[in-house]
Amino acid sequence: MKRTITASTGIVLLAAATLANAEPASYTIEPLHSAVVFEVKHFGTSTLRAQFRARTGTITIDPAAGTGAANIAIDAASVTSGLPKFDENLKNAKFFNVGTYPDINFVATEFRFDGDKVARIGGNLTIIGKTRPVTLNAINYNCYKSPLFNKQVCGGDFVATVQRSEWDLNIGIPFTSDETKLLIQIEATRD
């Protein structure tokens, strides 16, 4: 079932917890290369975009067994659209309420693989204290030996569509769409 989430989704940041290897392995999110972008339509005309940065996260993955787990925290106060006034509105108590809810969390409960590559991740996204299921679909996935860290790094790009109203993020509907596209960029370094 397709679920949708809003700008915070951080999450979904979340969701970026997909790393493949031939044996079980643990990874730590690399925050400089991990972010969640959300998109909503503005009056059905243009697309508003904003971004969150991942704060922390761990991923365990076992492609041979077809299993994985992830726990990602996204910094709610890191939301940025390039429009300072809009960013203030997103951070206030009527929307993401970053003073009370500093993190958006994604906990992955199901990994699906295509060979040894992550194809889809199911899990629960928590925004402003409300938890809803979300499925992230991989549009790109790769692992490489990082010359910077001298370790294996895995990650990719994931996408989900959610309804932000499921998290009671209703401000602006219907002028800005309820349907929200989440684009997750994630990289994690093997422990």
Side-chain angles (χ1 to χ4, degrees):
M1 180 164 108
K2 180 166 93 169
R3 303 297 280 199
T4 57
I5 167 177
T6 82
S8 60
T9 280
I11 29 202
V12 305
L13 286 113
L14 355 205
T18 48
L19 311 167
N21 197 16
E23 60 187 38
S26 295
Y27 296 80
T28 299
I29 293 296
E30 208 293 292
L32 293 177
H33 296 101
S34 301
V36 176
V37 172
F38 69 90
E39 300 180 344
V40 293
K41 291 291 183 192
H42 184 250
F43 283 87
T45 304
S46 61
T47 303
L48 289 173
R49 292 179 180 90
Q51 172 179 287
F52 293 94
R53 302 305 300 178
R55 183 191 305 273
T56 60
T58 58
I59 301 163
T60 303
I61 191 165
D62 186 347
T67 61
N71 192 333
I72 310 293
I74 295 154
D75 181 4
S78 72
V79 67
T80 181
S81 65
L83 303 167
K85 191 68 174 168
F86 182 53
D87 295 348
E88 287 176 33
N89 290 335
L90 290 173
K91 294 175 187 180
N92 75 29
K94 293 182 180 178
F95 213 81
F96 290 118
N97 195 1
V98 302
T100 302
Y101 301 100
D103 289 327
I104 295 165
N105 296 98
F106 179 74
V107 177
T109 56
E110 178 185 25
F111 280 65
R112 296 286 175 121
F113 294 82
D114 182 3
D116 65 348
K117 293 187 180 263
V118 175
R120 186 170 59 222
I121 302 169
N124 294 305
L125 180 64
T126 302
I127 303 170
I128 59 170
K130 295 167 183 64
T131 303
R132 304 288 183 265
V134 173
T135 298
L136 307 173
N137 293 298
I139 53 177
N140 176 53
Y141 181 84
N142 186 49
C143 295
Y144 68 96
K145 176 82 179 251
S146 169
L148 180 62
F149 301 116
N150 197 30
K151 293 181 179 182
Q152 182 184 40
V153 174
C154 292
D157 299 307
F158 298 83
V159 65
T161 302
V162 298
Q163 301 297 323
R164 62 189 176 100
S165 59
E166 292 187 31
W167 288 266
D168 295 331
L169 298 169
N170 301 314
I171 294 194
I173 297 173
F175 310 114
T176 54
S177 61
D178 187 9
E179 183 173 281
T180 304
K181 185 175 184 179
L182 303 176
L183 303 162
I184 296 97
Q185 163 198 343
I186 187 89
E187 290 191 24
T189 305
R190 188 166 180 170
D191 296 335

